């Protein structure tokens, strides 16, 4: 006898509740593990005090032992010890949340590392000691309700706002850390790593993605091109009569009548000619998006412009990023950091340089909480798009960080069911999350979304659970 729909829902809810509880227990256990590392560091201090001349050897030995016992890389163990010590000594509120299982280890990592500039500002006396507590409270407000990826972007903004000019100085120093490295990862592959300003890295990935999507969208329209190096080589050599009348290779002196006369497989018929009745077809281009991006990066670096080979107009595709900067900062009246939307603070000099090169900027009006309420555009349709891009920054499904310019604008309440085309019913969703609420999906698996006052999106899952995605707030740098 088949189970009833109600029992199916109950079973799914039970499994979801059990999974969420297990994840909470895992986070709490990881907090206990971090506390053990902090306790071990206290023993290290005692050992070093007894044998100060062997400080480095004692530390290296401890790291090696934990690395071997835990089957972890040395760098991972070193980071774990450092984070555990900072968590216990500098971030007690974050540690309590971690022990309760309200945040995961990934959240802790982002909070602790982004808080470095706040801790430095406190030590140097540029901000009050209470500032670190304010940072923890603000960071937890984000981390306990959002993914580690989004937490990273927000805590960097919070830390920059609280630390003031430290961020500008830090970005200026970091410019000197630009580098390119390569290391083997076996099987004939290598990892090429480039460290460069974040806005440039994001722009490079965005342009590679746009180029790759163009190649994939048009690759079926391309005619295969036979290399001239293979025209007259191998068992299936191409001869003069194989070529069209206007083919430039017909003038190649290597392709003379001698090759035709000695081709035993030549078959003539009307205006057609082939050297073999078994035609070999060129394999279809079935590369994935990542593979096409990697190939395009190679072409751009080693062979300049790939559009000369593909013929798909790739040279017309430009990268897109979104930056928010205060009017006074843009005019040079102050040096407050700008905001690289979806990533974090941006050096004001870089933002001003981008502004000078941009084809247009939108003036944004914010309320006291930092939410965009309007733009200065006059065209209704374009104004709404500009408003939504500025407000959303990324896909509005909880935890998703797909940039808004690569998302679709969705009617939260379906237009076909009476939903208005207005800013308070529109938001950006990536393709994967947009399809979750598509009307064609069976109601048993379909998600619903509605926009709340202020731009927050409330999602309802097929199980009836509700998840909120808060409208991104802009940190007011003061």
């Amino acid at each position: 006898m088949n189970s009833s729909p109600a029992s199916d829902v109950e079973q799914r809810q039970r499994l979801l509740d059990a999974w969420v509880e297990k994840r909470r227990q895992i986070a709490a256990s990881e907090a206990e593990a971090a506390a053990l590392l902090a306790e071990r560091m206290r023993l290290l201090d005692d050992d070093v005090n007894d044998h100060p001349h062997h400080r480095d050897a004692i530390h290296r030995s401890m790291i090696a032992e934990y690395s071997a016992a835990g089957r972890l890389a040395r760098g991972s163990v070193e980071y774990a010890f450092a984070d555990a010590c900072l968590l216990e000594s500098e971030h007690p509120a974050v540690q309590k949340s971690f022990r309760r299982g309200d945040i995961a280890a990934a959240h802790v990592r982002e909070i602790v590392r982004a808080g470095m500039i706040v801790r430095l500002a406190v030590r140097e006396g540029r901000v009050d000691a209470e500032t670190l507590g304010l940072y923890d409270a603000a960071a937890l407000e984000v981390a306990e309700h959002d993914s580690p990826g989004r937490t990273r972007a927000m805590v960097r903004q919070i830390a920059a706002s609280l630390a003031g000019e430290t961020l500008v100085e830090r970005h200026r120093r970091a410019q000197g850390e630009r580098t390119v490295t390569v290391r083997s990862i076996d099987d004939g592959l290598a990892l090429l790593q480039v460290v460069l300003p974040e806005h440039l890295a994001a722009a490079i990935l965005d342009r590679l993605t746009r180029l790759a999507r163009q190649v994939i969208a048009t690759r079926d329209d391309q005619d295969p091109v036979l290399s001239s190096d293979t025209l007259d080589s191998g068992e299936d050599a191409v001869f003069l009569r194989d070529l069209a009348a206007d083919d430039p290779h017909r003038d190649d002196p290597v392709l003379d009548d001698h090759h035709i006369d000695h081709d035993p497989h030549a078959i003539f018929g009307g205006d057609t000619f082939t050297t073999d009745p078994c035609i070999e077809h060129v394999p279809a281009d079935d590369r994935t998006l990542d593979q096409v991006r990697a190939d395009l990066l190679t072409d751009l670096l080693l062979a300049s412009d790939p559009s000369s080979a593909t013929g798909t107009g790739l040279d017309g595709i430009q990268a897109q990023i979104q930056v928010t900067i205060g009017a006074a900062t843009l005019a040079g009246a102050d040096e407050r950091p700008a905001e690289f939307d979806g990533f974090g603070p941006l050096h004001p000099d870089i933002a001003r340089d981008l502004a000078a090169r941009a084809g247009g900027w939108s003036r944004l009006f914010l309320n006291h909480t930092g939410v965009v309420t309007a733009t200065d555009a006059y065209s209704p349709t374009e104004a709404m798009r500009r408003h939504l891009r500025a407000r959303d920054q990324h896909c509005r499904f909880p935890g998703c960080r797909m940039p808004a310019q690569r998302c679709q604008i969705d009617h939260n309440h379906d237009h076909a069911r009476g939903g208005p085309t207005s800013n308070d019913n529109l938001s950006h969703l990536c393709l994967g999350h947009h399809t979750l609420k598509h009307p064609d999906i069976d109601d048993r698996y379909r998600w619903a979304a509605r926009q709340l006052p202020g731009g927050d999106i409330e999602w309802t899952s097929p199980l009836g659970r509700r998840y909120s995605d808060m409208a991104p707030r802009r940190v007011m740098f003061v």
Side-chain angles (χ1 to χ4, degrees):
M1 181 177 180
N2 294 333
S3 58
S4 65
S7 62
D8 287 344
V9 171
E10 291 176 357
Q11 182 181 16
R12 296 187 188 118
Q13 290 179 333
R14 177 181 59 80
L15 291 173
L16 177 59
D17 288 337
W19 181 81
V20 170
E21 174 59 21
K22 188 61 65 176
R23 293 288 301 173
R24 189 198 65 77
Q25 294 174 7
I26 290 172
S29 296
E30 288 181 325
E32 294 177 6
L36 293 173
L37 294 181
E39 184 177 355
R40 179 62 180 86
M41 283 296 290
R42 288 193 290 272
L43 293 179
L44 175 71
D45 292 339
D46 294 338
D47 293 340
V48 169
N49 290 333
D50 293 339
H51 306 282
H53 297 295
H54 301 288
R55 173 187 297 271
D56 291 342
I58 294 172
H59 184 266
R60 286 197 302 269
S61 176
M62 181 190 70
I63 296 298
E65 186 170 10
Y66 275 74
S67 176
R71 298 186 297 277
L72 297 170
R74 183 187 66 183
S76 298
V77 174
E78 289 177 335
Y79 273 125
F81 269 105
D83 290 347
C85 291
L86 288 171
L87 184 64
E88 184 169 276
S89 63
E90 305 283 355
H91 302 275
V94 177
Q95 185 183 49
K96 290 180 181 178
S97 180
F98 194 19
R99 286 176 174 173
R100 293 193 302 267
D102 292 341
I103 57 175
H107 292 100
V108 173
R109 185 179 308 116
E110 302 300 348
I111 294 172
V112 170
R113 295 178 188 176
M116 181 189 69
I117 60 174
V118 181
R119 296 192 297 270
L120 180 61
V122 171
R123 284 197 296 270
E124 294 179 350
R126 289 182 283 107
V127 298
D128 296 334
E130 293 79 9
T131 305
L132 193 56
L134 294 176
Y135 167 75
D136 283 355
L140 287 174
E141 185 65 28
V142 176
E144 291 179 354
H145 300 92
D146 225 325
S147 67
R150 286 192 181 178
T151 297
R152 178 176 183 266
M154 286 302 299
V155 295
R156 290 174 68 190
Q157 296 176 40
I158 295 167
S161 177
L162 294 173
E165 296 299 307
T166 300
L167 176 87
V168 176
E169 297 168 359
R170 184 182 174 207
H171 279 206
R172 186 179 296 116
R173 289 195 302 269
Q175 287 286 331
E177 299 177 6
R178 302 187 308 277
T179 184
V180 178
T181 59
V182 63
R183 67 178 178 87
S184 173
I185 55 175
D186 299 327
D187 297 326
L189 297 175
L191 177 66
L192 179 68
Q193 294 179 306
V194 183
V195 177
L196 72 169
E198 191 171 41
H199 71 288
L200 296 180
I204 288 172
L205 180 61
D206 181 79
R207 185 164 190 255
L208 284 174
T209 300
R210 290 168 173 270
L211 292 170
R213 292 190 188 281
Q214 178 74 356
V215 169
I216 291 173
T218 60
R219 59 188 173 190
D220 292 339
D221 301 333
Q222 302 301 308
D223 294 326
V225 179
L226 186 63
S227 171
S228 59
D229 295 336
T230 62
L231 286 176
D232 192 33
S233 62
E235 297 181 358
D236 297 322
V238 178
F239 299 92
L240 183 63
R241 289 181 179 271
D242 293 337
L243 305 178
D246 58 350
D247 195 308
H249 289 108
R250 290 185 66 90
D251 298 329
D252 192 332
V254 177
L255 298 174
D256 53 26
D257 290 338
H258 171 77
H259 298 88
I260 300 173
D261 295 338
H262 290 80
D263 178 18
H265 302 293
I267 301 175
F268 298 88
D271 295 331
T272 64
F273 174 87
T274 181
T275 60
D276 195 309
C278 297
I279 301 174
E280 181 178 356
H281 296 278
V282 178
D285 183 358
D286 57 357
R287 294 174 295 171
T288 65
L289 179 64
D290 279 334
Q291 291 169 341
V292 174
R293 280 195 293 216
D295 293 344
L296 285 170
L297 177 64
T298 303
D299 287 344
L300 287 166
L301 291 177
L302 299 180
S304 187
D305 189 354
S307 63
S308 60
T310 60
T312 56
L314 300 184
D315 52 336
I317 295 178
Q318 303 297 322
Q320 290 187 2
I321 61 175
Q322 185 166 294
V323 174
T324 303
I325 182 173
T329 307
L330 184 62
D334 60 54
E335 291 297 311
R336 294 183 297 175
E339 180 183 348
F340 182 12
D341 290 353
F343 290 87
L346 183 68
H347 195 290
D349 287 345
I350 295 175
R352 284 189 283 261
D353 181 64
L354 292 173
R357 301 168 188 269
W361 282 73
S362 299
R363 184 170 55 159
L364 308 180
F365 299 89
L366 315 181
N367 64 18
H368 67 283
T369 65
V371 175
V372 176
T373 58
T375 69
D376 64 346
Y378 293 98
S379 176
T381 302
E382 180 60 22
M384 284 193 290
R385 287 198 292 265
R386 294 171 71 181
H387 173 93
L388 293 168
R389 283 197 302 268
R391 184 198 70 186
D392 292 345
Q393 303 183 31
H394 45 62
C395 171
R396 296 300 308 281
F397 189 85
C400 184
R401 288 182 50 76
M402 180 67 73
Q405 61 263 29
R406 286 160 56 188
C407 294
Q408 302 169 342
I409 295 180
D410 167 70
H411 286 77
N412 303 147
H413 178 52
D414 294 340
H415 186 265
R417 299 182 178 181
T421 304
S422 59
N423 286 339
D424 56 6
N425 188 50
L426 297 173
S427 61
H428 283 87
L429 299 179
C430 69
L431 179 60
H433 290 130
H434 196 173
T435 55
L436 289 178
K437 59 185 297 294
H438 198 275
D440 293 341
I441 297 179
D442 190 288
D443 287 342
R444 293 173 296 176
Y445 312 108
R446 185 178 178 224
W447 288 67
R450 72 186 184 99
Q451 190 168 151
L452 305 177
D456 293 355
I457 307 295
E458 182 183 75
W459 287 81
T460 304
S461 76
L463 295 179
R465 300 293 179 88
R466 294 182 179 180
Y467 305 90
S468 294
D469 184 76
M470 294 184 296
R473 264 62 172 174
R474 283 174 166 75
V475 175
M476 308 304 290
F477 295 100
V478 294

